[in-house]
Amino acid sequence: MAKLWEGSFHQQLDSVADDFNSSIRFDCRMAEQDIKGSMAHAAMLGARNIISKEDTESILTGLEGILADLQSGALAMDMTAEDIHSFVEGELTARIGAAGKRLHTARSRNDQVAVDVRLYLREKAEEIISLTAKLLEAVKDQALANAETIMPGYTHLQRGQPIVFGHQLMAYAMMLTRDIGRFQDAARRMNQSPLGSCALAGTTYPIDRHMTAEALGFDSPTRNSIDGVSDRDFAIELCSAAAVLMMHLSRFAEEIILWSSWEFRFVELSDAYTTGSSIMPQKKNSDMAELCRGKTGRVYGNLMALLTVMKGTPLAYNKDMQEDKEAVFDSVDTVIMCLKVFAPMVQTMKVKPENMLKAAAGGFIDATDLADYMTKKGIPFRDAYRMTGDLVALCIRKGCTLGELPLEEYQAVSPVLEKDLYEEISLNTCVRRRISFGGTAPDSVREQAAWVEEFLKHV
Ligand code: ARG
């Protein structure tokens, strides 16, 4: 396909260089945004009498036809075009003749591409927000169903204190609420129209940037034409929000993988979200969770790639910036895929309360509560801590839990220790008493879930 810029060139672009330079392979996905941007631009040119009413009409009808034909499949993308902008303009001119050549008045591909990417990413941000909300809902529902399911809480992957499974899940729910906030922020800041920045300096034509901004649903036009065509913060911010979200999914995935192992057996994933082994018939592998964990790497990589592309580009547009698309598209695609598989995986995950309870009963996770009990009986905390340590060591020697250790052994340590200690250190008591704001008590988990339900109403 002929180039838009051939005018002053005497020799054709080398074919390898042409391939290298062309972006249609990946920017063709912005066809709809490119056409809508062009329609807003043409309507504005007509309204400002920069082009005639007839030309405006024929451009608008032509563009509508191209969009409809692309959507129906009647028109195929010409992959020899340099980019989506050249393709649409070329096709328009082929369809309507001379009027098509007027479309690019008071515009450059520099502001055009900046508009297209913003329009495209704005939609993707919305999609990610609604998929994250679905995952959040699934996590919250599992948390509510497990508000009383006792399990060990860990630090250093060592059993630490008893918690309920719902509390652990609500920790992930809180992360997801922040993720939604990050995407909302990025989408809001992104929502400014660079259209009319032209190549870099604005234009002498009497254009109306407010009109095009409004027609395309932007909050306002960008305030500086150089910044309008040079800024890729919006893509970087989206990649950054995606990287943080993936970090959360990856941590969650890691726990799900551990919990599904035979060593833990806290949960069982549905067959629909696991795979078998081609050689080991007993295996049920958490491939979806592992892939989400693994794909986090490429999403981090995309963020780093974009930051690096932008760090040395002088103002205004440079071709380096064409590199923004593959990185940010890959990040949004990856995040969307991961969220689509993660939500139903969590929803269909079967919890095994008996195994969680068994794990919670071992590991002396009621030791903190025993020390607290002693403190309430007047023993200074440091002494209580040491005495509890001695009792744990005794239990290890005897092969029993603190709850099974006979009262005589406690009283040998201190006569203030009485029968009521067994109730005090029971796992049930331990979790029910942790009613401090945001603590693990079942009622606190239900409160957190209610807060998330309210949050979801405003997403
Ligand atoms: N394909 C280009 C990009 O993605 C479009 C803008 C081209 N502008 C130019 N001055 N060559 O950045």
Side-chain angles (χ1 to χ4, degrees), residues 142-380:
Q142 272 287 14
L144 273 178
N146 288 285
E148 318 234 344
T149 309
I150 292 174
M151 72 178 280
Y154 295 82
T155 63
H156 312 270
L157 207 56
Q158 307 272 341
R159 281 174 267 190
Q161 292 179 337
I163 57 170
V164 292
F165 185 46
H167 193 50
Q168 180 92 354
L169 290 174
M170 285 312 294
Y172 287 106
M174 296 306 161
M175 299 175 213
L176 295 173
T177 64
R178 295 193 294 275
D179 287 316
I180 289 174
R182 266 182 283 272
F183 280 100
Q184 286 171 332
D185 282 352
R188 183 176 46 77
R189 246 187 312 279
M190 175 189 305
N191 205 29
Q192 295 202 322
S193 172
L195 193 56
S197 298
C198 304
L200 79 155
T203 179
T204 54
Y205 288 102
I207 59 170
D208 184 348
R209 294 192 58 207
H210 292 273
M211 179 179 168
T212 47
E214 200 186 320
L216 292 169
F218 286 111
D219 295 330
S220 63
T222 52
R223 291 202 168 270
N224 176 298
S225 64
I226 297 176
D227 183 49
V229 291
S230 312
D231 169 34
R232 293 294 181 271
D233 292 4
F234 57 92
I236 293 174
E237 280 194 51
L238 210 64
C239 280
S240 156
V244 178
L245 171 59
M246 287 301 293
M247 180 265 290
H248 294 152
L249 293 190
S250 187
R251 292 182 81 175
F252 200 176
E254 166 68 14
E255 295 221 276
I256 289 175
I257 294 161
L258 272 178
W259 296 336
S260 322
S261 70
W262 281 102
E263 282 70 15
F264 281 77
R265 220 65 196 142
F266 284 1
V267 301
E268 187 178 346
L269 291 177
S270 148
D271 286 357
Y273 299 98
T274 47
T275 62
S277 154
S278 56
I279 174 167
M280 298 169 280
Q282 82 283 12
K283 294 280 292 268
K284 192 169 178 188
N285 299 329
S286 325
D287 285 25
M288 309 310 135
E290 288 169 30
L291 272 173
C292 292
R293 189 178 58 184
K295 283 175 186 294
T296 303
R298 65 198 290 160
V299 175
Y300 286 4
N302 290 331
L303 171 62
M304 203 39 69
L306 258 187
L307 285 168
T308 312
V309 164
M310 295 307 292
K311 77 181 261 296
T313 50
L315 302 180
Y317 177 83
N318 299 269
K319 193 69 172 215
D320 314 41
M321 286 150 70
Q322 178 165 289
E323 286 291 306
D324 62 352
K325 281 171 274 310
E326 284 164 296
V328 71
F329 292 169
D330 183 66
S331 279
V332 298
D333 289 350
T334 305
V335 163
I336 287 171
M337 265 192 307
C338 290
L339 287 168
K340 278 187 177 162
V341 81
F342 219 110
M345 181 175 78
V346 168
Q347 212 158 27
T348 55
M349 176 173 83
K350 241 202 250 116
V351 178
K352 310 241 173 209
E354 3 32 279
N355 294 343
M356 291 188 178
L357 189 62
K358 217 184 293 158
F364 306 102
I365 61 180
D366 41 5
T368 314
D369 293 270
L370 176 59
D372 284 345
Y373 166 83
M374 293 183 184
T375 315
K376 280 179 212 148
K377 293 269 171 172
I379 300 172

